[in-house]
Amino acid sequence: MNRAAAVLAAGVALSVVATPILAQRSGGGRPSRQCIQEIMNLCGRDRSQIPACLQSKADQLSDNCRNQVASRVRERRGEQAGAFQRAVKPTRTVFYGSDERQQIDVFEPEGAVDELPLVLFVHGGGWRMGSHKMVGQKPAHFGTSEIYFASTGYRVLPGAPVEEQARDVGAALQALRGQAGAIGFDPERIVLMGHSAGAHLAALVASDPQYAGSAFDAIEGVILLDGAGYDVPANIAASEARASEVMASQALNLYREVFSEDPERQRALSPITHVGGEDAPQWLALYVEERDVAKAQAESLVNALNAAGSKAEAVSIANTDHGRMNRELGTEAGSAQTQAVDAFLAEVFGS
């Protein structure tokens, strides 16, 4: 592999390992921990400095590590190409603010009739990035189930703190309900779905009514895809205990950056803090089987919800990883999470 390819591959590898909620073990094409550590040893842990470092030092990576990241590059390119080829265009876009991120794509199921339910998706991205356009096969899949699918954007850090991001998700809910008649869905039958950081925001909006306001009661259910931010102080404490591990250290830095060092703010932005007040009635928390932090966070939230009177379940998904959990939903490759989500929606919407 030449220098240009090595730089590209290593850069992609870092974008993979520096995901919002970091996977604990390699799998599904992800570079090994040893390879990730090798890149960190070469370039340090400051992600802003890594691209420049790799431009001059990529040849210093071992052959094994370069081969791993090159393989990952090819895999990611194939996944992205396939996703774009199969993309379904939104039937309309709803704007709920002046920022370019404050918009919602709505996908109408083929042959839709009035009063169909709606799933609103909240993308991930570490509270700092991401796009509501990256929906994979969800619109096509839910369209065949006679469910409207919508995907909302929201402002991100550094311009918008997490509180404002949650308010954006709540405002998106209100805007959709305000146009329900024109769109054609039932404004009282909505399920929130979020992945990663989006799972945290969905859980926060569905457990703390201040964000969605008058739209809160329309949330009939919540689907969380491999989130790990339902109890922020607990996540930080667990990461501190394993700070010598590269991924735990990265997660610790991320959570401190996003939620600050203020314990009160950490608790206020933890969905589990608000459980027992007005909570959405039904919850499904999926997590990658090998992600211990996601498992602990999902089970903790679900236990609290069940104790408070909601109906909630935590379900492990095997043979996947943090990104694929979301990306493959609605496809044959993601049959486990797809079946779990479909069964949950059938129960919530009574179909």
Side-chain angles (χ1 to χ4, degrees):
M1 185 168 62
N2 61 31
R3 175 182 290 272
V7 171
L8 173 62
V12 171
L14 263 294
S15 73
V16 171
V17 302
T19 48
I21 308 296
L22 294 158
Q24 292 185 316
R25 302 182 184 177
S26 62
R30 186 183 304 278
S32 68
R33 282 188 174 186
Q34 290 78 10
C35 181
I36 294 168
Q37 185 65 62
E38 186 178 338
I39 295 170
M40 294 295 183
N41 290 342
L42 179 66
C43 295
R45 296 187 177 185
D46 185 345
R47 289 190 294 271
S48 67
Q49 302 299 315
I50 287 173
C53 165
L54 289 174
Q55 287 179 6
S56 60
K57 298 183 179 180
D59 287 342
Q60 296 180 34
L61 294 174
S62 68
D63 290 342
N64 182 45
C65 186
R66 288 202 303 270
N67 289 337
Q68 287 185 52
V69 294
S71 175
R72 182 58 170 166
V73 168
R74 290 191 293 269
E75 177 185 323
R76 294 284 290 179
R77 284 174 175 170
E79 291 167 351
Q80 291 167 359
F84 280 116
Q85 289 172 0
R86 300 187 299 271
V88 176
K89 293 183 178 179
T91 51
R92 71 174 66 211
T93 299
V94 175
F95 297 87
Y96 66 92
S98 58
D99 191 279
E100 64 180 359
R101 286 183 173 273
Q102 293 174 310
Q103 56 180 286
I104 313 155
D105 282 345
V106 181
F107 301 81
E108 179 179 306
E110 186 174 351
V113 296
D114 289 343
E115 301 304 305
L116 292 178
L118 177 141
V119 170
L120 176 60
F121 179 69
V122 185
H123 68 79
W127 302 274
R128 297 173 301 189
M129 62 188 76
S131 171
H132 70 290
K133 295 291 184 182
M134 302 303 291
V135 293
Q137 290 303 289
K138 297 179 189 70
H141 175 74
F142 293 122
T144 63
S145 303
E146 297 188 330
I147 295 173
Y148 278 84
F149 179 81
S151 178
T152 186
Y154 53 90
R155 293 167 297 158
V156 297
L157 290 167
V162 176
E163 294 88 342
E164 293 301 315
Q165 296 178 30
R167 291 189 184 98
D168 275 4
V169 174
L173 271 171
Q174 294 181 32
L176 280 173
R177 292 184 77 239
Q179 297 190 32
I183 296 172
F185 75 93
D186 185 341
E188 305 304 321
R189 302 172 69 201
I190 298 174
V191 162
L192 268 183
M193 172 191 291
H195 170 247
S196 192
H200 162 265
L201 292 172
L204 185 59
V205 170
S207 60
D208 189 347
Q210 69 165 305
Y211 298 107
S214 60
F216 182 84
D217 289 340
I219 305 173
E220 290 198 338
V222 187
I223 299 170
L224 307 175
L225 305 175
D226 207 43
Y230 313 134
D231 186 339
V232 174
N235 183 300
I236 290 176
S239 297
E240 287 176 337
R242 297 169 31 251
S244 61
E245 300 176 21
V246 172
M247 291 185 179
S249 176
Q250 292 245 1
L252 179 59
N253 292 337
L254 171 66
Y255 274 76
R256 284 174 171 169
E257 176 185 336
V258 172
F259 297 101
S260 79
E261 299 277 4
D262 180 3
E264 289 302 317
R265 183 166 182 257
Q266 293 172 9
R267 283 191 288 271
L269 292 173
S270 297
I272 199 167
T273 299
H274 307 285
V275 169
E278 297 181 55
D279 306 313
Q282 298 190 66
W283 298 66
L284 174 66
L286 304 182
Y287 61 89
V288 174
E289 185 175 69
E290 294 186 334
R291 284 235 299 152
D292 294 340
V293 65
K295 178 179 187 293
Q297 289 272 312
E299 291 181 345
S300 179
L301 179 65
V302 161
N303 289 340
L305 285 163
N306 283 324
S310 294
K311 183 177 182 180
E313 183 179 13
V315 176
S316 66
I317 303 297
N319 303 316
T320 191
D321 61 30
H322 181 69
R324 291 171 56 207
M325 167 78 80
N326 172 57
R327 191 167 58 249
E328 294 176 351
L329 181 60
T331 71
E332 183 177 351
S335 60
Q337 60 264 44
T338 302
Q339 290 169 13
V341 166
D342 286 350
F344 176 78
L345 292 174
E347 181 176 357
V348 172
F349 293 143
S351 59

